Structures are given as structure tokens and as C-alpha cells.
Amino acid sequence: MAQHDAGGDPRSIDLRLDRAHSARMYDYYLRGKTNYAADRAAAEKVAETWPSVFVCAKENRSFLHRVTRVLAEDLGIRQWLDIGTGIPTSPNLHEVAQEIAPEARVVYVDNDPIVLTHARALLTSSPEGRTAYIQADATDPEAILGSGELADTLDLRRPVALSLNALLHFLPDSTDPYGTVDRLMGALPSGSTLAITHCTADFDPGTWGDIQAIYAAAGTATQVRSRSEVERFFSGLEMLEPGVEVAHRWRPVADGGHSSPEPVEALSDSEVSLWVGVGVKP
Ligand SMILES: C[S@@+](CC[C@H](N)C(=O)[O-])C[C@H]1O[C@@H](n2cnc3c(N)ncnc32)[C@H](O)[C@@H]1O
């Protein structure tokens, strides 16, 4: 098991249960069990403001499953770098990838200690493949790219799928998210891919102002982005069809694989409010 230790025994890590954390609020939206009173209080405020937050979270996971299948089956990808992994939620990325390619290798990265304390569930690789967990901040790509766990798990001479799902809206422009994505993709060879999901206020600006205020009050900075701002993350990459789309419209499948998404026509763009896309490095 490869795992950076954020200060010793995970049991001694201060999880700051007194304040809401984005990973645990998202776990609540996914109807998970790894959330606490402060997380639930903030998440319930979001749900009162925007009841479709549960739909958004589910569609986000569904995209993650679909895109992992497309990358493994159609593009032959066998290595993933997933940053902003979140609290393990079955099926995790490596479980979807290894169903198709048991030899698939996945490096998970998150900066929240709650994810570290649950990382064991991410390290259940098939015997042929491998998974690793790195406790690191997305705004420090060099720490991620330079880590021993990454070097032991991924071969950076072969294509890697960089997965930034529901992460970049936690990186305001002041943290240089475009530079971060460029530095990460710059380290990966031709044939590597970038998959992004990103919350947007394009369909319902007033509501998103309120949601961002709830996160800000809980101590989490956010920045939702427009379609063109999300497209900018893919500069220099060749987009897979259908380009940047609302999550439920990106290659919908009747059998969602694992998470049985709603039929496309049953959802509105504002209920989902997530831009998604996949680019390939030429
Ligand atoms: C909404 S969850 C998404 C989880 C998963 N990627 C998914 O799409 O289902 C966002 C995750 O990003 C993590 N995160 C937020 N800011 C981060 C940062 N600067 N560096 C690393 N992880 C971060 C949070 O801890 C949380 O686990």
C-alpha cells in the first residue's frame, strides 16, 4: 500500500469535525455515511437552496464511470492520475477501469485528511494492476508529479488519463488553476487525456451565488465557471465528441454501467449544472 502519511497514524489526524468539509458534503449528496453534523448542516442548506444537488452529484459520478469506460475501451488507456478523488464511493475509478483492464494502474490524490483515513478502500487493486494514494494539494503539481508513489505506479512514457472531477471549482483563479492543469498535462506524453467535470452558474446564476455563499461561510472558496472558461482548460488538446457538454448529455448510455443515470430527456441542464469534457494530448 503506497500512502503518504499526513502526520503519522491516520487515527491521530485532526479531521476538524467542527467545520464542514467539501469532501464530506459531497459524500452527503451521494447519500454516503462519511459525513458529520457540521457537514450535514451546510449540505442541507445547499439542498434547501438547490434541491437538485443530489442529481448533480449522481450525474457527476455517472460521467466518471462512463468516461473511464470510454478511455479504457476506446482509447486503450491503462493508467490514471485522479486528483480530488473524494471519499471512496463504490465503484471507485480503479474498479471501473480494472473491470475492463485488470492491469490498469491508478494514482489517487486528495488534500483532505478524511480521504486519507479512508484510503484503504482505494487500494484494493486487482492483483494484475496497482493503486496508490498521495496526500497532496492540487495547487502543487510538482509535489504530485515528483512523488515516489507516482513513480512506482505510473510509467510517464506511456499515456496517462488525468482526471479532475468536481475539483477545479474549488480552485479560484487566484490559485492559478489553468497553470496547474498545464503543468500536469505538460508532464504527460502524447496520447494522454484530460477529463474534467466543473460546476457552472450558466443555467441558474442566482442560485449559484447562494450556493457559493454557503460554501464560503463554511470556509471553502469556490469559483464556478462558464462553458468558455471550462473550454479554456482544454487549450491545445483535441476534444473527444461531443466537446464540452452538460454531464448528462455527454455520451449517455441506457445502461449507465453502475449508476443508472436518468434518461437524458428526464433532466434539465440547470438541474445538472455541470460542464464536462475530455481532451487528448496530440
Ligand atoms: C466534490 S469532491 C469530488 C470527488 C470525486 N472526484 C468525484 O468526482 O466523485 C472534491 C474533492 O476534491 C478535493 N479537493 C478540493 N480542493 C483540493 C485541492 N486543492 N487539492 C486536492 N484535493 C482537493 C476535496 O477534498 C474533495 O475530496
Side-chain angles (χ1 to χ4, degrees), residues 173-244:
D173 282 351
S174 57
T175 67
D176 190 23
Y178 292 100
T180 295
V181 172
D182 279 354
R183 273 140 71 203
L184 288 165
M185 286 306 291
L188 306 179
S190 167
S192 294
T193 62
L194 169 66
I196 288 175
T197 72
H198 199 303
C199 287
T200 186
D202 284 2
F203 307 106
D204 195 351
T207 299
W208 279 90
D210 295 343
I211 295 170
Q212 289 188 268
I214 297 167
Y215 274 88
T220 300
T222 57
Q223 184 169 343
V224 290
R225 292 187 173 89
S226 66
R227 181 184 208 154
S228 60
E229 288 169 330
V230 173
E231 282 170 342
R232 220 184 111 197
F233 284 113
F234 295 101
S235 295
L237 306 182
E238 289 162 2
M239 296 306 289
L240 290 192
E241 287 298 325
V244 171

